[in-house]
Amino acid sequence: MDSVQTVIQILLMSGSGSGSGSGVWVFKNGVMQLQPEQPAAARKALLYVPTGERMTSLELLERRLGAHGWERYYENRDIVQLHRRDGGIDLISLPRDFAQFRSTHMYDVVLKNRDSFKVVDVPS
């Protein structure tokens, strides 16, 4: 990791203003700036490592996670939460609308399934 530039993604929840308040905090040379988050599909993709397959839908991602012991725990009209069948305390929250799938969701999946998924740059 480059010591000059460290990127930390933080999902901000803002109670005021018309914007969502989401973005990426970039720390560069001691200066912190909030850069608005763009749709993840435009620049990042979640890759299922064993097959090299990009996750393009909630159904496909759920199927792959199911093979690793994840199952639906809770759902409403906006989100789907998955938990491990073995009773672990980890939860993965995903937007039901895959167009709202952001890099924060991708890194959550990767963090809890390190050997099976990774986030990759999408060539422009």
Side-chain angles (χ1 to χ4, degrees):
M1 181 178 267
D2 185 2
S3 62
V4 176
Q5 181 177 357
T6 303
V7 178
I8 301 172
Q9 290 192 316
I10 302 171
L11 180 62
L12 300 173
M13 301 306 289
S14 175
S16 61
S18 61
S20 68
S22 296
V24 177
W25 285 101
V26 177
F27 297 91
K28 186 174 184 179
N29 297 329
V31 178
M32 179 176 68
Q33 296 177 337
L34 177 63
Q35 297 177 346
E37 186 172 15
Q38 298 169 353
R43 53 181 210 273
K44 299 283 184 191
L46 184 63
L47 188 77
Y48 185 61
V49 174
T51 62
E53 181 179 23
R54 282 178 43 187
M55 298 295 100
T56 56
S57 69
L58 179 61
E59 293 77 21
L60 179 59
L61 178 56
E62 258 191 286
R63 192 167 49 247
R64 295 298 184 202
L65 287 168
H68 294 280
W70 292 90
E71 65 184 5
R72 279 195 182 198
Y73 175 72
Y74 172 80
E75 61 184 297
N76 65 25
R77 65 184 187 127
D78 297 322
I79 66 164
V80 172
Q81 283 187 327
L82 306 170
H83 76 113
R84 287 199 183 271
R85 280 186 217 112
D86 64 10
I89 62 170
D90 288 333
L91 285 175
I92 295 176
S93 295
L94 303 170
R96 183 176 293 281
D97 177 6
F98 207 72
Q100 300 300 314
F101 191 64
R102 303 286 186 251
S103 59
T104 51
H105 301 109
M106 293 180 196
Y107 286 110
D108 189 32
V109 171
V110 170
L111 180 68
K112 294 168 183 164
N113 300 278
R114 292 180 191 267
D115 297 330
S116 302
F117 292 92
K118 70 179 181 178
V119 177
V120 295
D121 291 324
V122 175
S124 33

